Every structure is written in structure tokens, then in C-alpha cells.
Amino acid sequence: MTIARALTVAGSDSGGGAGIQADLKTFQELDVFGMTALTAVTAQNTLGVHGIYPLTVEAVQKQMDAIGEDIGTDAVKTGMLFNSDIIRGVAEKLMQYKWEKVVVDPVMIAKGGSVLLLEEAVRALREVLMPLALVITPNVPEAELIAGKSIHGLDDRKEAARILADLGAKNVVMKGGHDESNPNEVIDLLYDGRDFYEFSSPRQETRHTHGTGCTFAAAVTAELAKGRTVVQAVEVAKQFIQAAIEDTIQLGQGHGPTNHWAYRRRQAAGAGR
Ligand SMILES: Nc1ncnc2c1ncn2[C@@H]1O[C@H](COP(=O)(O)OP(=O)(O)O)[C@@H](O)[C@H]1O
Ligand SMILES: Cc1ncc(COP(=O)(O)OP(=O)(O)O)c(N)n1
């Protein structure tokens, strides 16, 4: 039996809704064998981030070597990378192992406002990591910072996507959760350097959206690991995150996590009809 493999290079969220925990749950739900290279430990729950403890570059690279020298991987996702040294160290290993299906989720700020990427690291993200990305998945504030332009609505998002593609990302998914120019719909916009594709879903009125970005990017990574095209992978990821937000599980007192079981349960229910 061959099994698709995916590696996430990201931070740990003790609350289980975002970071490496969200990535592994998503990989598992999509039938992909998940592996990890931890970049930082966060003490985090639905109320916010209470502590950040980055690992050394050596520790991050050793974990990537452990995968590269033995198990190998079909796709890689990067999440919280925290500082420019870690970004450069991760980029070095992506190149060394010639991992090409790389999904970069340019995690910068958590919902509660905590900084998950230092300001000094944005340049390294732009110059060193983006050219290695098969797909980059910024939310609106992240795209504004990387592209250096403010974004209001779909036309601005398209222009920012072009700027990000010029920086070297082969495909740009501009996520629409923060774009409230359309109160009824959330449109995720994919730009492949030539064409735009829109993935739309009804906007859910909920505060339980902790880890949506990680979960979405992990689903894209899992589908790429299985050999799907970028368009197919984004299509599945959109369905996965929509189910995870709609079938809410109410945990904690703040922004709760999404439901990583929901997509599989819906698929199973559909198959049983
Ligand atoms: N209120 C919502 N209703 C439906 N989908 C949402 C909602 N908020 C976010 N999403 C989806 O969750 C994913 C993450 O979106 P976004 O909020 O833009 O990024 P992030 O979680 O990184 O801030 C996207 O696929 C987006 O379409
Ligand atoms: C360890 C860790 N990594 C990433 C994030 C950000 O996750 P995201 O999916 O963008 O969700 P919110 O934090 O915005 O809810 C995180 N919080 N922790």
C-alpha cells in the first residue's frame, strides 16, 4: 500500500486548534501520513497566546534532516516560522532535499494580536521563502504586508496576488475571511500567474474560527501530496474548511477551534446515501 506523506514545519498550539496540531489532524482526516518539524512551542488557548518559545535553527533543521534522510515526503507545508534565521534554515533544507510541493502559509499574527512572525523576518519571507513556494496562502493583512499595498475588496486582492506572484510564488491563494466587502460570502481567490479562480462559500457568523488558516493550508498540502493539481487541492481545502467552520464544536471561552472531523463525516454520510 502506498501512502501519501506530508511534512509540516510549524509551531505548536497547546490549545490544539492551530499550528502543528491543526495540520496533523487535517492530514489524518484526508488520509495522508503527517510528519512534523517544530519551529516553536506556544502556550496558547482560545483566549490567546500566553507564551512563545522558539527552537534553534539547528533543532528545526535536524528534524527536517530526520525526514529527508529516511521517510521522505510528497509535500511540505510551512506555518509559524517566527524569525529570519528559522526562515533561512528551512529554505536551505527545502532546497537540499529538492522538495518542490511547498505550501507556504505566511503566518504573522494570531487572532488575538500576538506576533507569530517578527518584523525583521518579513524580508526573508519575501526574498528567500516565497520563490520556493508552489502555493502561498496569505490572509488579507498578511498579503497587505507582503505586497506593501492596502486591500479593500476583490480587485485589490487580485492586484496584490499579481505582486506576490512577481515575488516568486507560483500560485497565490488570497484567502477571503478578512475581506468583509462581501458580508454574505467568503471568496478565496487563486492566481496561478495567468488566470484567477474563485472559490466561494456562505460566510458563517461564528467566533469559532481559530486555526482556519492553518487548517486550510494543511488541506491544500494533503491534496497536493496525493497528486492532485493546485486547483483540485484548493477546491477540496475550501470544502474541508467550510465543513469545519459550519459544524462547530464549542470549546473554550474565546475563539474556539474548528471541527476537523466534519469533512470526513459529511463524505461518509454522502457515500451512505
Ligand atoms: N466566517 C467564515 N465563514 C466561512 N469561511 C471562512 C470564514 N472565515 C474564514 N473562512 C475560510 O477559512 C479560511 C481561512 O481564512 P482567513 O480568515 O482569511 O485566514 P486566516 O485564518 O489565516 O486569518 C479560508 O479558506 C476562508 O475562506
Ligand atoms: C502555533 C500557531 N501557528 C499558527 C497560528 C495562526 O493560525 P491561523 O490559522 O492563522 O489562526 P488564528 O490564530 O488566526 O486563529 C497560531 N495561532 N498558532
Side-chain angles (χ1 to χ4, degrees):
M1 176 185 173
T2 49
I3 178 103
R5 305 151 297 178
L7 166 65
T8 169
V9 184
S12 163
D13 167 9
S14 52
I20 227 133
Q21 289 79 356
D23 295 346
L24 281 181
K25 289 173 194 179
T26 304
F27 292 163
Q28 185 79 14
E29 289 297 316
L30 290 170
D31 294 326
V32 170
F33 183 76
M35 298 165 288
T36 60
L38 210 59
T39 57
V41 173
T42 71
Q44 195 174 167
N45 56 23
T46 67
L47 297 172
V49 180
H50 308 286
I52 298 182
Y53 309 92
L55 268 65
T56 61
V57 179
E58 187 192 359
V60 178
Q61 288 194 319
K62 276 276 182 196
Q63 295 171 81
M64 294 178 79
D65 283 336
I67 307 307
E69 289 168 3
D70 178 29
I71 304 168
T73 190
D74 298 299
V76 182
K77 168 186 180 280
T78 68
M80 173 186 177
L81 298 177
F82 195 61
N83 62 38
S84 58
D85 288 344
I86 295 180
I87 291 180
R88 290 179 199 286
V90 168
E92 190 180 307
K93 291 296 164 186
L94 293 175
M95 288 186 284
Q96 179 181 334
Y97 293 107
K98 299 186 172 46
W99 286 326
E100 287 177 356
K101 290 185 187 174
V102 177
V103 177
V104 173
D105 184 16
V107 171
M108 292 183 181
I109 297 182
K111 285 219 164 59
S114 295
V115 172
L116 302 178
L117 184 78
L118 300 179
E119 217 176 304
E120 60 85 20
V122 177
R123 188 166 161 196
L125 176 77
R126 251 198 226 113
E127 292 178 2
V128 181
L129 201 56
M130 282 188 57
L132 301 178
L134 174 61
V135 184
I136 182 166
T137 61
N139 63 22
V140 167
E142 290 157 356
E144 287 184 321
L145 213 112
I146 301 170
K149 96 179 255 352
S150 61
I151 297 175
H152 304 283
L154 210 57
D155 287 343
D156 281 347
R157 284 208 274 146
K158 285 189 176 173
E159 208 179 309
R162 286 194 189 95
I163 296 173
L164 267 53
D166 285 346
L167 288 169
K170 289 163 205 69
N171 296 272
V172 180
V173 181
M174 302 277 300
K175 295 173 298 186
H178 298 251
D179 181 354
E180 287 177 1
S181 61
N182 184 340
N184 304 317
E185 260 182 316
V186 184
I187 301 174
D188 293 340
L189 191 66
L190 165 64
Y191 178 57
D192 66 3
R194 207 187 70 174
D195 298 314
F196 285 97
Y197 303 81
E198 291 183 14
F199 302 83
S200 168
S201 64
R203 184 177 286 278
Q204 300 302 301
E205 275 304 319
T206 174
R207 64 192 163 102
H208 300 302
T209 54
H210 174 51
T212 45
C214 302
T215 301
F216 174 83
V220 172
T221 310
E223 291 303 304
L224 290 174
K226 290 191 276 192
R228 308 280 185 263
T229 65
V230 173
V231 174
Q232 289 167 338
V234 174
E235 177 86 54
V236 172
K238 181 68 173 167
Q239 289 172 23
F240 190 96
I241 194 63
Q242 186 67 19
I245 295 172
E246 275 177 7
D247 294 1
T248 181
I249 41 171
Q250 310 213 340
L251 291 175
Q253 302 157 60
H255 290 290
T258 66
N259 179 349
H260 292 92
W261 299 278
Y263 178 79
R264 186 191 285 281
R265 287 191 180 167
R266 285 186 186 190
Q267 297 289 105
R273 261 186 227 137

